[in-house]
Structures are given as structure tokens and as C-alpha cells.
């Protein structure tokens, strides 16, 4: 069921190739071909002026603005501000004028067009042949990257060829900070000018954000060559938010003018604001001196190293191969794990929708990816991030009327403060608290790191447990603890009572907190005492938690043998997604909200999210019954959904269903399933795609400090291979439908279970296992 | 329990007297002392400049603007526009300058201050003694009204006295159309200038609303007298949105300067825009010629006539007396019933909060008031208003996914289009549809008018019935029709399942529609055939309606013997309002939204609203059990709530509880119970106050074409008396705790039941009944 999907780029293992200019879908391709390096990134905008559909977007990690909250009707508890990812200085700009005509792809005839994102090398390039309104043809080419080797460096190699006629060419290379966020609540601009100047051939601009006072400075050098001669220019423009340098060239027919633009961009998050100018000037001079090819080479080498470890290979299915690399590529260029103050924004550097950067996506989806690819420290940083925000989470809960150190982490945040403002989400989608506790558990289970909990985790868990203990109430009718007025992961239900997922994870949080308290008391007595003292935890609280655990209401239907997503779910008119006319999809763009809410259709895994997290609490038959009940009602209009279903489908042996769901998650943006790729990519769900391969087809699990695999492979795939960092080992796994090979690339000898049979692999050795019998060859 | 209330004006039978200037609460008194005449009205703003807290507000009936909807997160189905009551031309302005100092009550020493609304005569007056920054004292007095005799006329009598020193006085009498709505969504101005000029001593200004093109023109003449000499002025200012005339007077100590300002205001709703200038000029010349006293006299006479019939007298309780007159006064000056295109805005002419003008308040609360005081035609006009909007209601339903002529009336509207934008209200508070059907029933029951249903009502009922038939769904679990995802009258619950009130009124609507169809078929065969043809009603629809009626799910708890407000209500932690600390009240200003939603606290009558509407469907014991269950949980933070509780309390013999609730509804704004009077008054709920007297203490009902009374009277009250128009009769009722007197003021002989005993009263006769035994004296 590949509904409403559309091909924007050609299918290729490593490349995204758009070989025809599609002006109406330009914003989609701009999103798809975005480039970034963890520090900064940008959409695949054109360097030259463009008056067609475009979202001009350049972003700098961690630079945000608290935009005044906009709502129709204010409700108590709403946050005053909504932190926005800031659209920042446009440094790619090259304004090209030919015979006095501004080159603008929206205003000329395009004879040839090619835009390519090379994911292997992290390079965006473009080749265009166009005919201007005066009839003259020119050929443009551009190669651009933001360096993975030095995150403050970006470079463009841009050429202009006069095809058949002599042309009078003017090039204005500029930095523009007069930038607005498309989604600014009150159409305000968020940047104040700090400096703008042109000295010694270096263009420099800096601006500072209002209220948050992040300063971003960029130095640029532009180098224009005619044949081998450098074109000299002293002509420049400096305005408060703009600096540019103008070059004039008489270009003979058949000749090519070559432009190289080097930039260094730094922010006050990493540097003294006073030093930004000198710092970036020095860096850009070095960059220019090293030259474009050298910089590109270092950048490509970095990507080669990254891919060496992070690549997943799928043989036999180029669509699937392209999809997984697309996902991994964007994940890796969004977050590198170097900076524990950063997190994984839902759109990364590809767009500005959804203010804020950190959702529960980080804990539920991203941590496993970074843990297995980038390593334990990166994942730990993501967890420390939440510890840094614990006090804010306690304040957030107290704004909503909770007390005594109860912590409610925000739905979305930049600095620990809530910045969402739909009551049904902000106040009610509280299961996010559970995902944070789950991530601590998941991290500890995978890494074996015993120190995180006493050092950071337990305080978080106590805050979360306290929240749940206040959020439930005793129902005299049910003689049980109930949780009223919540929104579960399936946001197509609002303000429901007893969402099973929320109740279950709340109960589990209390159990896990009690068990961590006990373990810490035994193993880290000193830390334990400090924590008890800091949190003022008293015994009665633990007694109450136990009482709640023993009496939590968990809705189910015994007749059908299914868990109930929430109380009353069976009152709905139950339908299957395939009964819906395609014209109704996606329902969130076609139906009114009340119709969505009343329907049985599920936005994203909800009961199934719980069964995925806690699969070892349930027998296979229960998981199967619930999968068969809920999967057909799920519209997957959240990007976080198909990956979870894919994992469950794999584990239930529904391999072809898993393959369909895998393509949906892997190619969600590539094929624009939910008709929203133009706003930016769904970065966090890309980690879910990775999970659908590793935990889904690979069947990877960690149980009792051991690594398990239960491989399955779709008919179309010849083989699947991937690497994992697991504790002290680096492991390579590859399999087809007959054999699985384990390579213990580095690390001590290790026991690995394949289809529940144990195999021991020593360093540098390979083990080939016949999957039919799970026996060693 | 008079929580958080505060006295803003003195207690008096006919007057609101504020005898001390209270700058922080000025906006509250501005609301309380607003004046209007159905056509136009204004807040009790000062004529002179004022830089303190104020909401300058002048409003013209039916003049609105479709402001672009503002929400935080758009949801499908939201209306594009939100119609706003427009703040309109300020015509009261008199800028007073003394010795070059602008007179501004916020910038001088106030030695004496009195602001009085005389409700008997419909006059706002003010007396102020103040000391300017140069040490000189001046005395100001002002008397202002908008004429009840000629709705386009307003007049001000304003005097300035130099108390101890000679002063140099300048008076700038102006009309200002450069006006903004305080609640404009994007801070835009909604008026375009049309004309502004000064000719023959007449100031004229006109402006037209953007998008809706309503034009409002005002002519003003200002007359300044020193002793008996007229001060002549040719000095004027005309700007595009402003026109003024300047007078200069040297005022000796002890002398008084007298200013009279006459205005005529007309709108393109009633006149050709081309004629506005001539029309208002002619009218204002006549007004000036007649003179202030003459105009005032005609105005007072009208009010005397109105009060003669509409007054309610309460002896023995001045607070209660002032309260009821305050409510009646504002109702009568908001809507006179002359114009069937108008309706009763929730804030009348007293403020601009809540865009739109027509809520279900009109049907559920206001129609009975106008039906009994202003007469049948006025009430019929209010019902015709909804018939005029039927097509829009069908379009509104179809936007939400309903089809086949299903009609959903908007939550709030100006022109039939929805203009609310909270999903939980707009899409889910659908019980409003039921109130419209109920009003048709209520009107027919009271007036005996048989023609409204075949002429207008039945088409409305069919549209509404069709909506309910699509809005329910069959629950396989319950083997009943359920209604999921609604918000009942109690807006402190959102998106609940099976709100009893909504399910019950939906079922009743289907029953009533079927019975109206049958009656119309029998009695108005011709009209019936037309309606069936116009609506394409088919027999299967009626069969389905019957099936729904027979199988509608109505939640109840058999153990407690109570109706359930909604499914799951008993899962809440049940508390009583008096267990709440006062610091938590009103909860809608103190608690976060989720906390309110989870709590058991009830904003306004919900189950009890249903028991009030359909009391004859239930036995007294059931009503009592439900009253005792729900009343203690009700916070009455909707103005529509205490009146309904008061009526039920009266009928249950809880007379002192009824008295407490009566004071709460009658003095809601006067004592600012819910801390929001500054935004304007709760006009529609004032009709509820009237109901609490007539249906509450008077126990008035209509059954089987007869009028019934079951009087009860609070201990403190000596007597209660009121008039009713009932069909061909005008009836006066007065009673104390011993006797009730019926006067058949006009009309044929009529049977009236008092405490279920029948008494026959012929025209012009009185009947005195001993209440102990309900026997004739």
C-alpha cells in the first residue's frame, strides 16, 4: 500500500538524483538534499537568486529563539514562549547577473537540470543549462558541502559557462542575515545586527538573537577565476545585515568562470563573542589557503570513516538500500554527539517546523541508534541532557499543580522549559516521562554501564515516579488507580481515560524506580544516601508506589483477548484502513479533527509501542492478537509509527508485512508519504528506520547481558549486513536467508545468541551459522 | 458562599452609584454602567481624555468584522475567520484643556468623584471635583444617554465650573474613528475612512469596515454656553478618521461653562450609504432644535413605559432588587427585538470579548425572557434568525464531514458561519443544536403559535435530526447508539464519551422532529409536502431515527441512583466545592487546564441543565438526587449556571439555596464573582437571572396550554411581583409567603394554576389566593 507516494529522486544506492527541475516540488527536494555536520546545516537551496517556491533555510545547532506563544484561546499553564529553531545567516548566496539580467531559475528556460545529493561523500551538487530571456545560454554548476572534518567550515565550488555567446557577467557573493523564520508567530525578525564589514577581501557579518543573545559570526572569502587568472574586486556593499562583494567578468563564448566561496561560521555557544570575527577570519584564510579540493578531501575522508562503521548494506533491493542510507546519512549529519548541550531536533537542519529540539523521540528512537553506531558516550550525553533539565522538569510539573519534587519533562524543549502549546499535548501527553525512564533502562541494559543510574539516572527516576504517583487517582468504582485525561502516543485520541500505554509505562516506571533504589542502596550506598538526602525521599512514598503498582488499572477486553488502547475504545465503529478511500488520506489533511478523534484510526503505534518496549512481559500470542487487531487500523501518519510495526511484524514472522512497513519508514520522506516533506525531514524517525532493520530484520536484542539475533529477510533481499558497537566489542553481522555471519571485529571473545542458540566468537574471527538449524558451519 | 466578590457600586434599588474613583477597577465600572438602546451602545467611558486603565468602547448593532482566525496549531475544519463585534466611532469625546493642561483624571488630584447609572431613566451621569497640577480646582459634570425613543440619537450634557480661580478653557469636541479592537488577532485596524468634514457647525465622520463594508456615519453638533451666551467657534480639525471643533472660553472663578453634544448615528445596515450624511445631519439638527431636555424627556418616557411592564419588584432585599433590575436593564438595552437580523451578543454593547453575537444562550436563556416581556413577535424573530442561517448550518456540518442535509449550527456566529476556534468547542460542543430545537418547542409551548413549525421550524428540526443520526454510532459492546467525543455544557470536560445531556437532547430532538412531522402532516398537509420535497426526506431516515431513539445509550449509576454526566465520571476523585481553598477560585484562573479537566468540578449546569429542560420526564426524587449529587461539585464559573441551579433549588423547596444562587446570578457582574466583569457584562445570562425569578421563585410553567405557578419566597424577601405577557393576556403576579395575587391586566378570562389548583381570572380582575391552602380568598 504505497499510498499517495511520489518519486522525487531516482532510485540509486548512494545518490539522490533529481534530473528534471520540478518547480512545484522544489521545497520537497530542498528538504531531501539538505546537508549538515552537527554544528550547522542548510536546505538544498540554490546559490543564485530564486523567486520560485523555496524555503531558504540555514540553521546553526543550539541557536534558538523564545518566540511569544501564539494561541487562539489561552489556557492556564501554557508556556509563555515557544522556542524556535532559528533560520540563520544565508551564506551560500551568489547573485549572478548576465548582461544585466538576474539569473533566476524561476524566470528562464531550463534546458537541463540535475541536483544530486551524494550521501557517500556528503556533497550537494547541481548542473544546470539555461536560456536567459535575451536568448543566451549559460551553464551553471555547483558543488557544496559543510565539512565533517571541521564543523565550522563550509565551501562552494561554482562555475558559470557562457555556452554560445559572449556574456557580461556580474557576481555578487554575499552574506545575508536579514532572515525571518517562516513560522514566526508574529512575523517578527529574531536577529539584531552586530557587525558587517569587508576588510582584506574577507566579508564578515555577525548578528545576535533577540532575548537569547546567541551571536553567530561568519567570515567568507570568494575567489573568482577566469582561466587561471584571479578576478580582483574592491567593490562591495555593507549594510547592517548584509555584506557582499561584486565581481565583474567579460566571459567569452565557451569560457567558464570559476567561483570558490569559503566560509567559517562560529557561534557564541562555543566562543567568546568578542573573538568571533578573528576566529572565523583566521579559519577562512586557512581554508582558502588549503583550497577547495583539500577541504573536500578531508571531508570525504571523514564520511568514509563514518560509513565504514555505520553503513547498512541491503543487497537485491535498491529502493530499500537507498532508503536506509538516506536515513543514516541524515541522522549522522544532524547529531554527532560531540556536544551534550545539543539534541536531535525533529527536523534537524532541514526545516524549522516544530519549534524546539527535543521530543520523546530522542529517548524512544534515537538513543539506540547512537548507542550502537556512535557509541556509549554519545548515548550517555543524550541521557545527561535530561538530567541537566531535571530542575526545569520539576518546575514544569509545579506549574501544572504537582508538588514535592514531581517532574514532568516537557513535550518539546530547547533549554528544559516546555515550549508546546496544545493543551491536549502539552498537559496530557505525559507518557513522554515514561520514555525517559525507559531510555535509562534501555541504555543500562545495552551498555552494562552501572554508573549512570547512581550518578544521574536515579534522581530523574524519582522525579518521574513522584509525578505518576500524583497523576493517578483512586477510582472508587473500579477499586483501582486510574489515569484520567491523557493523550497517548496515538495523538488521534485526546483527553482519554486510562490509555493502556500510559498506565502501563507509569506502573513500570514505579517498579523500575523501586528496583533502581534497591540496587543503588546495595551497590552504591554513598550515592544512595546523597540521593535520598537531595530528594527528601521518604519511605511512605515507596509504600504508595507499591500500592499503585499493585492496583493500576489496565484496560483490556477478555472476549477479544486484546489490550484496550483506552477505556471505551470498543465503542468506536471499528474499521480497517484499507476500507478507506485513498481520497481520504492522509486523514489529518482531509478530515476535521473531531472526525479523526471519533474514528478508530490510529496515528501511530500506541498499544503496539508498549508491546514493543515491553515485549518480554507478554507472550507471543498476546503480541500477535494485538498486532492483528491494531495494525489494520493504523494510518501511520506519524513518522514514528511504521518502524515500530515493522519490528513487531519481523518478530512475528510477518516478514513481507515488515518489508512493506520498512519501506514506509525508510522512504517516508523520499516518497513523501504523508505529504509534508517540504517542511523538512522527519529526522528522529530515521532512527526508527535503523531500528526496524537492526531489531526488526536482524532481531537484535540484549537479554541478561548477552546479544541476541533472530534474523529474517524479505524475499526480495539477497542479504543484509550491518555493524554494531556493543560494549567492548565491534561486531559485524551479515545474513541471507540461509546463513548468518558474525565477525567479532574487535573486542574480547563474546557469546552471541542466534535464534536462541549460543555461539562464541573470539576477536578477529568470523562465525558462519546455518540459519535453518542455527548451527555453526 | 460569596467568594472573592467585591462591591463596586452602592446598593440601591434603581441606581448604580460609584462614589469614589477607583482607578484599578475603572474598567469594571465602565462595564457595569454601560448604556445602549438596541441599535448602539457604549461603555461608561469618560468624555475627556483619560490615560488610566480603560477600555474605550462604542458599538453599533450588527456591525462586525471577520478577523482572520488565530490559533497556535491549525486543525482541519477551523473557520477561516472569527467574526468580531467591532469597536466603533468614539462620539463622546470632549478634550478639555485648562490653562494649557489637558484634563485627565489619571493625572490630577480627584477631590470628589461620583459616577451613577440611573437604571430607571437610562442615564449615565458623573460629578467630579478635581485639582489640576497648577493647583486650580474645577468641577465637571456629565449626563449622557442613547435614546430609547429614537435609536439613532445620543446626547451629552457636560458642564465645567471654575471653582476658585479664573481659568483659560479650551474644549475640543470630536468624533474619532481611528479605533482598534482590543482583541484584534493581528493588531490590525478594521475601519477605512469614508468621509470626515465640518460644515455648518456639523461635524460628520463616516467609515466603512474592511471586508464586510458596513458603513457607519455620525453627525454631531456641539453647543457651548457661557452664562446664556453661545460660544461661537470656526476652529476645527479634519483628518481622515477624525473631526473636531474647538471652543475657547475665559471662565471666571465661580462660573460654569455648559456644553451640549448631540449626535445622530446611522449605519448602512439600515440606510443607503449615500444617504448617511444627509440623514444624520438632518436628525442631529432636529435633535439640537428640540434640545437636550426634550430628548431626555422622550427617552425617560420610553424607559418608564418599558419598566412599567418589565420591572420585577422584590421587597425586603435591596441587593436582590438592584440585582434583578440591573439584569433587566441591560437585557432591554441590548436587544429590543425590532430587527430580526440582530441577536443578543454575549457582551451586548459593554465589551468586545467573545467574537460573534449568537451562542446557544439565545435559545436556552434569552428567548423565554423576550417572549414573556417583549412579546411573541420578538421571540419569533429570534427563531427566524436561525432559519435564515439553516443553509449555513448545513454547510458547516458538511465541512466537518456530515452529509445529506445534516445541519450543525455554529457555536457562535454573526452571519451563520462558525467563528469559534477551539476544537473541543467548535467541533464537539454540539449540544447547541439541541438547544435550538428545544427553543422551538419552548416557544410553541408558551405561545401556542402553531404556524412557526410548518413555516420555519420543521426544516430546522429535520436538519438537526439528520445531524444527530449521523453523529451517533452503534457500539457493538454496548449494543446501543453512543455519541463519542463531545463537550457538554460543562466545558470543564472535553472530548468525553456519552455526555448524558447531549445524548438525551439528541434523542429528544429525534422524537420531537418525528412528532412535528406527524402533526404537520395532519394539520398542514400542503406545507408538509413542500418540506418533504425541499428536504428530500425519505422514510428510511425516520426509521433510523426511531431505531436510535429506542437504543440511545444514557449513562447512569444505579447504585447511587444518579445520571452520569458522562461515561467514567465516577472514576474521578469526587470532592465538593466547599472543600476547595478560596485561593483556588475561580479554578479557571488558578488551575492548569488538565487539572480542571481531571477534577470533578463542574463549570456549569450539565446533567442539571437537562433536568431543567426536561423536568416533566423525571420524578422529583430523581431530580433531587441528581441536584444533591451535582450541585456541590459545581463552581458556577459560567454565568449560565447559577440561574439553572436556582430554578431547580426553588422547585425542590430549597428556597434559601435558591436565594444564594439567585444572588450569584443576579449580582454576578455587579459583584464580579468570576473576576472578569472588566471585559464586559454577561448579557445573555441576565435572562437566566430573570428565569430564576419567574420560573424559580415564581415557579412559572406552561403545561397543556395553561399557565402554572408554584411560588416560593426567600425568608428575607417580603414580596415579589412581576408581569408576564402570556398569549392574549397580560398578567401581573405578586406574592408574599402567605398570599399570591393574580391580576388579569388585559386579555380574555384565563385559567391559571397555583400550586396545581386552578383559578379562573377574568379581564381586569384580581384574584387573591392563600398559599397555605392554595385557596381563593
Amino acid at each position: 500500500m504505497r499510498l499517495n507516494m511520489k518519486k522525487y529522486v531516482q532510485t540509486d544506492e548512494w545518490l539522490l538524483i533529481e534530473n528534471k527541475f520540478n518547480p512545484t516540488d522544489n521545497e520537497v527536494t530542498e528538504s531531501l538534499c539538505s546537508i549538515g555536520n552537527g554544528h550547522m546545516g542548510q536546505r538544498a537551496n540554490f546559490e543564485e537568486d530564486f523567486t520560485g517556491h523555496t524555503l531558504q533555510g540555514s540553521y546553526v545547532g543550539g541557536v534558538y529563539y523564545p518566540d511569544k506563544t501564539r494561541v487562539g484561546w489561552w489556557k492556564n499553564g501554557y508556556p509563555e514562549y515557544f522556542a524556535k529553531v532559528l533560520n540563520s545567516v544565508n551564506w551560500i548566496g551568489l547573485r549572478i547577473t548576465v548582461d544585466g539580467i538576474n539569473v533566476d531559475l524561476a524566470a528562464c528556460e531550463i534546458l537541463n537540470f540535475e541536483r544530486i545529493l551524494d550521501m557517500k561523500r556528503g556533497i550537494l551538487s547541481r548542473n544546470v543549462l539555461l536560456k536567459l530571456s535575451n536568448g543566451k545560454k549559460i551553464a551553471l554548476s555547483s558543488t557544496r558541502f559543510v565539512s565533517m572534518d571541521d564543523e565550522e567550515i563550509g565551501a562552494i565550488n561554482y562555475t558559470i559557462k557562457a555556452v554560445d555567446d559572449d556574456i557580461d557577467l556580474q557576481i555578487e557573493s554575499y552574506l545575508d542575515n536579514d532572515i525571518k523564520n517562516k513560522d514566526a508567530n508574529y512575523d517578527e525578525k529574531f536577529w539584531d545586527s552586530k557587525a558587517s564589514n569587508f576588510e582584506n577581501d574577507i566579508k564578515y557579518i555577525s548578528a545576535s538573537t533577540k532575548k537569547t543573545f546567541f551571536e553567530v559570526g561568519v567570515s567568507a572569502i570568494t575567489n573568482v577565476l577566469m582561466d587561471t587568472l584571479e578576478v580582483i574586486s574592491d567593490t562591495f556593499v555593507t549594510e547592517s545585515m548584509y555584506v557582499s562583494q561584486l565581481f565583474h567578468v567579460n566571459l567569452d563564448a565557451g569560457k567558464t568562470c570559476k567561483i570558490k566561496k569559503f566560509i567559517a561560521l562560529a557561534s557564541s555557544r562555543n566562543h567568546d563573542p568578542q573573538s568571533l570575527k578573528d576566529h572565523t577570519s583566521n579559519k577562512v584564510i586557512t581554508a582558502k589557503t588549503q583550497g577547495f579540493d583539500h577541504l573536500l578531501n578531508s571531508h570525504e575522508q571523514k564520511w568514509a570513516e563514518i560509513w565504514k562503521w555505520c553503513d547498512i548494506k541491503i543487497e537485491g533491493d535498491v529502493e530499500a538500500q537507498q532508503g536506509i542510507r538516506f536515513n543514516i546519512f541524515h541522522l549522522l549529519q544532524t547529531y554527532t554527539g560531540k556536544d551534550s548541550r545539543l539534541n536531535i531536533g525533529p527536523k534537524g537542519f532541514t526545516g524549522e517546523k516544530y519549534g524546539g529540539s527535543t521530543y520523546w523521540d530522542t529517548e524512544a528512537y534515537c538513543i539506540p541508534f547512537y548507542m550502537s553506531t556512535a557509541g556509549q558516550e554519545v548515548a550517555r550525553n543524550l541521557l545527561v541532557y535530561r538530567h541537566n533539565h531535571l530542575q526545569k522538569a520539576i518546575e514544569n510539573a509545579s506549574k501544572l499543580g504537582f508538588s514535592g519534587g514531581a517532574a514532568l519533562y516537557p513535550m518539546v524543549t530547547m533549554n528544559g522549559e516546555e515550549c508546546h502549546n496544545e493543551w491536549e499535548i502539552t498537559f496530557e501527553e505525559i507518557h513522554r516521562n515514561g520514555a525517559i525512564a525507559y531510555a535509562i533502562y534501555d541504555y543500562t541494559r545495552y551498555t552494562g554501564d552501572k554508573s549512570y543510574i547512581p550518578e544521574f539516572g536515579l534522581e530523574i527516576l524519582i522525579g518521574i515516579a513522584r509525578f505518576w504517583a500524583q497523576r493517578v487517582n483512586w477510582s472508587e468504582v473500579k477499586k483501582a488507580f486510574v489515569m484520567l485525561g491523557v493523550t497517548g502516543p496515538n495523538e488521534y485520541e485526546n483527553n482519554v481515560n486510562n490509555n493502556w500505554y500510559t498506565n502501563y509505562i507509569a506502573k513500570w516506571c514505579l517498579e523500575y524506580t523501586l528496583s533502581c533504589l534497591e540496587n543503588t542502596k546495595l551497590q552504591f550506598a554513598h550515592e544512595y544516601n546523597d540521593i535520598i538526602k537531595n530528594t527528601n525521599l521518604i519511605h511512605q512514598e515507596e509504600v504508595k508506589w507499591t500500592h499503585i503498582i499493585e492496583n493500576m488499572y489496565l484496560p483490556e477486553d477478555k472476549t477479544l483477548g486484546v489490550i484496550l488502547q483506552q477505556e471505551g475504545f470498543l465503542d468506536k465503529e471499528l474499521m480497517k484502513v484499507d476500507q478507506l478511500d485513498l481520497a481520504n488520506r492522509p486523514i489529518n489533511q482531509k478530515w476535521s479533527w473531531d472526525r479523526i478523534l471519533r474514528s478508530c484510526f490510529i496515528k501511530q503505534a500506541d498499544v503496539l509501542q508498549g508491546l514493543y518496549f515491553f515485549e518480554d512481559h507478554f507472550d507471543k500470542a498476546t503480541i500477535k492478537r494485538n498486532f492483528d487487531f491494531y495494525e489494520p487500523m493504523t494510518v501511520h501518519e506519524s513518522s514514528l509509527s511504521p518502524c515500530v510495526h515493522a519490528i513487531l511484524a519481523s518478530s512475528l514472522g510477518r516478514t513481507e508485512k515488515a518489508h512493506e512497513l520498512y519501506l514506509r519508514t525508510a522512504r517516508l520522506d523520499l516518497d513523501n508519504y504523508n505529504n509534508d516533506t517540504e517542511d523538512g525531514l522527519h529526522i528522529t524517525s530515521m532512527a526508527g528506520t535503523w531500528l526496524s532493520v537492526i531489531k526488526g530484520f536482524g532481531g537484535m536484542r540484549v537479554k541478561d547481558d548477552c546479544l541476541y539475533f533472530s534474523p529474517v529477510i524479505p524475499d526480495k533481499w539477497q542479504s543484509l549486513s550491518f555493524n554494531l558497537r556493543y560494549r567492548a566489542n565491534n561486531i559485524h553481522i551479515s545474513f541471507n536467508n540461509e546463513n548468518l555471519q558474525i565477525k567479532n571485529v574487535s573486542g574480547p571473545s563474546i557469546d552471541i545468541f542466534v535464534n536462541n542458540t549460543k555461539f562464541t566468537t573470539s576477536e578477529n574471527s568470523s562465525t558462519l551459522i546455518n540459519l535453518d538449524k542455527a548451527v555453526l558451519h
Side-chain angles (χ1 to χ4, degrees), chain A residues 154-178:
Chain A
I156 307 171
N157 184 3
Y158 192 94
T159 70
I160 305 162
K161 184 179 179 187
V163 179
D164 297 320
D165 305 278
D166 298 352
I167 60 171
D168 178 68
L169 176 66
Q170 187 180 280
I171 300 144
E172 182 174 0
S173 172
Y174 64 87
L175 302 174
D176 181 8
N177 220 129
D178 190 21

Side-chain angles (χ1 to χ4, degrees), chain A residues 8-28:
Chain A
Y8 297 84
V9 294
Q10 291 184 287
T11 306
D12 182 280
E13 290 199 355
W14 278 111
L15 306 174
L16 306 190
I17 305 173
E18 182 193 34
N19 59 4
K20 188 171 171 301
F21 183 48
N22 186 340
T24 43
D25 293 327
N26 182 48
E27 286 166 274
V28 173

Side-chain angles (χ1 to χ4, degrees), chain A residues 711 713 717-720 734-741 771:
Chain A
I713 196 160
W717 298 10
Q718 284 150 25
S719 73
L720 171 64
S734 63
F735 62 92
N736 53 28
N737 60 9
E738 289 170 5
N739 301 305
L740 180 142
Q741 187 186 51
L771 287 174

Side-chain angles (χ1 to χ4, degrees), chain A residues 174 231-232 248 353 358 385 399 406 435 449 461 519 521 718:
Chain A
Y174 64 87
V231 179
I232 304 301
H248 187 262
K353 211 180 172 182
T358 313
Y385 177 94
K399 280 181 199 160
D449 176 358
L461 291 172
N519 289 341
K521 192 176 184 177
Q718 284 150 25

Side-chain angles (χ1 to χ4, degrees), chain A residues 138-272:
Chain A
I138 59 167
L140 306 177
S141 80
S142 147
T143 305
R144 189 163 100 211
F145 65 93
V146 284
S147 175
M148 268 290 186
D149 181 51
D150 181 339
E151 63 178 22
E152 296 180 337
I153 295 296
I156 307 171
N157 184 3
Y158 192 94
T159 70
I160 305 162
K161 184 179 179 187
V163 179
D164 297 320
D165 305 278
D166 298 352
I167 60 171
D168 178 68
L169 176 66
Q170 187 180 280
I171 300 144
E172 182 174 0
S173 172
Y174 64 87
L175 302 174
D176 181 8
N177 220 129
D178 190 21
I179 297 296
K180 234 162 77 166
N181 263 51
K182 193 185 173 187
D183 64 345
N185 284 339
Y186 295 91
D187 256 356
E188 288 170 293
K189 290 188 175 175
F190 303 146
W191 291 98
D192 281 329
S193 169
K194 297 297 282 184
S196 160
N197 42 52
F198 181 73
E199 284 167 24
N200 306 322
D201 260 6
I202 299 177
K203 295 171 280 294
Y204 178 72
I205 201 161
S206 80
S208 135
T209 57
K210 292 175 182 174
K211 293 187 199 164
T212 38
F213 306 109
F214 292 113
E215 187 168 337
V216 172
V218 197
S219 287
I221 295 178
T222 311
N223 188 230
V224 179
L225 284 184
M226 257 300 300
D227 294 327
T228 54
L229 288 178
E230 188 168 346
V231 179
I232 304 301
S233 160
D234 287 330
T235 317
F236 60 91
V237 176
T238 55
E239 293 169 2
S240 70
M241 289 292 218
Y242 185 86
V243 56
S244 73
Q245 185 180 14
L246 287 95
F247 299 87
H248 187 262
V249 180
N250 288 309
L251 198 63
D252 295 342
K255 292 279 186 189
T256 298
C257 173
K258 295 174 184 164
I259 305 162
K260 293 196 172 63
K261 186 171 181 180
F262 303 91
I263 66 103
L265 182 151
S267 93
S268 60
R269 293 183 69 259
N270 303 313
H271 300 275
D272 177 355

Side-chain angles (χ1 to χ4, degrees), chain A residues 390 393-394 396-409 426-434 459-473 483-486 502 505-506 509-510 513 541 544-545 548 552:
Chain A
L390 176 59
I394 291 172
N396 186 38
S398 83
K399 280 181 199 160
L400 301 189
F402 299 87
S403 57
L408 175 61
Y409 279 91
T426 313
F427 301 153
E428 296 204 336
E429 202 173 333
I430 51 177
H431 67 79
R432 60 195 186 238
N433 245 12
E459 279 183 7
I460 296 176
L461 291 172
I462 290 168
I464 289 173
R466 284 172 159 166
F467 173 79
W468 292 125
Q470 291 175 42
R471 189 56 168 73
V472 296
N473 70 277
M483 189 128 48
L484 306 180
V486 305
T502 308
I505 207 166
C509 282
L510 296 172
T513 306
E541 290 185 87
K544 177 159 189 206
W545 299 351
I548 295 168
M552 181 69 98

